[in-house]
Amino acid sequence: MNVIQNQEKLFELAQAWGMEVGALLRKYATDSLAPAICINDGCDFIAEYEPDCRDGWCEECQEGTVVSAFVLAGIV
Ligand SMILES: [Zn+2]
């Protein structure tokens, strides 16, 4: 993962939730689950995983490539 790719995925994730990135992070800051997205190119599988998730299961790619919004944002 590189930083620019993370930012793009984070933006994509926020769009899927219909929120700004900052608002999304604030909304989920105290939750036990966070929005997460597959970081593979061309895949936009979205799920909710633990806030520190870096290798959540992607049902599209059949591999552990789903990363939480907080990891993408560099907060966790
Ligand atoms: Zn995927």
Side-chain angles (χ1 to χ4, degrees), residues 8-72:
E8 285 174 355
K9 285 290 183 179
L10 184 55
F11 186 69
E12 208 177 308
L13 186 55
Q15 274 196 320
W17 248 258
M19 301 176 77
E20 301 283 337
V21 169
L24 183 77
L25 294 175
R26 279 195 299 278
K27 176 173 164 60
Y28 283 89
T30 56
D31 276 24
S32 56
L33 288 175
I37 187 168
C38 175
I39 46 107
N40 279 344
D41 280 343
C43 180
D44 57 2
F45 177 78
I46 285 170
E48 286 184 281
Y49 280 111
E50 293 76 23
D52 64 349
C53 178
R54 292 163 198 274
D55 56 359
W57 189 251
C58 176
E59 289 175 11
E60 301 289 331
C61 303
Q62 296 291 304
E63 55 181 326
T65 46
V66 178
V67 177
S68 99
F70 293 97
V71 174
L72 290 173

